[in-house]
């Protein structure tokens, strides 16, 4: 039962990675199609990031209220709806409400799945989990590249990835009883062993090494996001490469991240966390 659910979790993380890498790949065509500045991608990206942070902060309360399974289903559905919306927009202003939906969905599913795996599975699965995110992030630009060569352009790419998300939404919807069974079993074991103590953010920051970990993660995310969002535009504007070829190059960037996480997953079997 745990193994079957783990497969679904891996699939969910692939779906989480798919939208994360395609905005930057499609932006050289999007900003021309909508008649906005190149820098407007930053507004969309920050909107998605800000809403991701908000939903992550409230994820604990939502998990307690409706459970992890329902959060995953709703979040994947929101992601699919946002991507479908991106494929039909006629002006930049319509980008922002769909960016809000995408960010809220992405933040909720990310926090909920990380929490679920940390509680119910061994630590090494966390590395594999984020490795599967990398697979989604790698294939996202490949899909977008295929459509950037066609007449529909970026709209076809967003629509196809939305369709993939919708398929996963249906699969996860039918898996809800499985999530509930495992969560109930976890609740019973917590009752027997004593429930974990809730720790406030201020207390967490006082843990030795916590501030340094936050800072390092901030720097890592800044580098990853900068390259992912602007890499394709740089290749198109300054190197004269077509947007479809640039998207393929960006997929290799995400493949590198995936390879690094795969190697990290192997090393965790040989070394402790420290």
């Amino acid at each position: 039962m745990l193994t079957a659910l783990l497969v679904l979790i891996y699939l969910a993380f692939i779906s989480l990675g798919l939208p994360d890498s395609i905005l930057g790949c499609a932006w050289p065509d999007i900003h021309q199609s909508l008649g906005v500045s190149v820098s407007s991608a930053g507004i969309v990206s920050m909107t998605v990031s800000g809403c991701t942070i908000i939903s992550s902060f409230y994820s604990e309360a939502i998990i307690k209220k409706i459970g992890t399974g329902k959060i995953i289903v709703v979040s994947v559905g929101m992601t699919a709806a946002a991507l479908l919306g991106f494929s039909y927009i006629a002006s930049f202003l319509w980008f922002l409400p769909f960016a809000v939906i995408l960010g809220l969905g992405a933040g909720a599913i990310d926090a909920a799945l990380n929490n679920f795996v940390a509680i119910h599975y061994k630590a090494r699965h966390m590395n594999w989990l984020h490795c599967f995110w990398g697979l989604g992030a790698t294939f996202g630009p490949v899909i977008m590249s295929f459509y950037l060569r066609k007449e529909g352009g970026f709209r076809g790419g967003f629509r196809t990835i939305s369709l993939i998300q919708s398929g996963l939404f249906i699969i996860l919807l039918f898996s809800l009883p499985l999530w509930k069974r495992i969560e109930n079993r976890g609740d019973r074991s917590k009752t027997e062993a004593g429930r974990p103590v809730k720790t406030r953010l201020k207390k967490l920051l006082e843990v030795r090494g916590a501030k340094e970990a936050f800072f390092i993660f901030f720097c890592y995310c800044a580098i990853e996001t900068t390259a992912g969002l602007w890499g394709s535009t740089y290749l198109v504007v300054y190197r004269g490469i077509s947007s479809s070829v640039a998207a393929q190059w960006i997929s290799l960037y995400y493949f590198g991240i995936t390879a690094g996480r795969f190697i990290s997953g192997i090393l965790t079997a040989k070394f402790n966390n420290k």
Side-chain angles (χ1 to χ4, degrees), residues 56-133:
S56 295
F57 269 118
Y58 286 99
S59 62
E60 182 192 7
I62 301 171
I63 290 169
K64 285 182 178 177
K65 192 172 184 64
I66 66 174
T68 303
K70 289 180 182 177
I71 287 180
I72 306 306
V73 171
V74 172
S75 297
V76 171
M78 289 172 69
T79 304
L83 294 174
L84 186 63
F86 285 162
S87 72
Y88 285 105
I89 56 170
S91 69
F92 177 73
L93 287 178
W94 278 105
F95 235 113
L96 300 182
F98 288 117
V100 169
I101 295 171
L102 181 63
L104 292 174
I109 189 174
D110 201 355
L113 282 177
N114 277 295
N115 176 70
F116 189 87
V117 172
I119 292 172
H120 297 281
Y121 295 93
K122 293 181 179 179
R124 67 172 180 268
H125 288 295
M126 195 64 76
N127 283 288
W128 301 122
L129 196 69
H130 290 274
C131 183
F132 275 82
W133 172 91

Side-chain angles (χ1 to χ4, degrees), residues 47-239:
T47 301
V48 173
S49 297
C51 292
T52 298
I53 292 168
I54 291 170
S55 61
S56 295
F57 269 118
Y58 286 99
S59 62
E60 182 192 7
I62 301 171
I63 290 169
K64 285 182 178 177
K65 192 172 184 64
I66 66 174
T68 303
K70 289 180 182 177
I71 287 180
I72 306 306
V73 171
V74 172
S75 297
V76 171
M78 289 172 69
T79 304
L83 294 174
L84 186 63
F86 285 162
S87 72
Y88 285 105
I89 56 170
S91 69
F92 177 73
L93 287 178
W94 278 105
F95 235 113
L96 300 182
F98 288 117
V100 169
I101 295 171
L102 181 63
L104 292 174
I109 189 174
D110 201 355
L113 282 177
N114 277 295
N115 176 70
F116 189 87
V117 172
I119 292 172
H120 297 281
Y121 295 93
K122 293 181 179 179
R124 67 172 180 268
H125 288 295
M126 195 64 76
N127 283 288
W128 301 122
L129 196 69
H130 290 274
C131 183
F132 275 82
W133 172 91
L135 283 178
T138 300
F139 283 112
V142 173
I143 296 169
M144 186 59 74
S145 171
F146 175 78
Y147 283 96
L148 288 174
R149 294 195 296 268
K150 294 181 173 291
E151 188 177 341
F154 69 89
R155 298 182 188 278
F158 280 126
R159 210 167 291 141
T160 298
I161 295 174
S162 173
L163 190 63
I164 294 171
Q165 299 286 78
S166 299
L168 182 62
F169 169 80
I170 294 169
I171 293 170
L172 289 168
L173 188 63
F174 283 103
S175 73
L176 276 176
L178 184 59
W179 290 88
K180 194 171 182 180
R181 258 200 311 272
I182 291 175
E183 283 188 300
N184 288 340
R185 191 171 70 180
D187 288 341
R188 284 196 297 272
S189 64
K190 282 179 189 174
T191 303
E192 294 165 4
R195 290 186 177 274
V197 178
K198 181 179 177 180
T199 307
R200 294 187 177 276
L201 182 61
K202 184 180 177 181
K203 286 289 182 183
L204 288 175
L205 288 172
E206 292 172 0
V207 175
R208 185 180 177 184
K211 291 176 183 176
E212 292 83 352
F214 274 115
F215 177 72
I216 290 169
F217 192 65
F218 174 85
C219 292
Y220 167 79
C221 288
I223 294 168
E224 180 190 292
T225 303
T226 300
L229 182 62
W230 299 114
S232 208
T233 299
Y234 171 79
L235 291 172
V236 171
V237 175
Y238 291 100
R239 295 297 179 183

Side-chain angles (χ1 to χ4, degrees), residues 233-254:
T233 299
Y234 171 79
L235 291 172
V236 171
V237 175
Y238 291 100
R239 295 297 179 183
I241 298 172
S242 69
S243 56
S244 62
V245 174
Q248 292 173 9
W249 280 104
I250 297 303
S251 75
L252 292 178
Y253 162 70
Y254 283 104

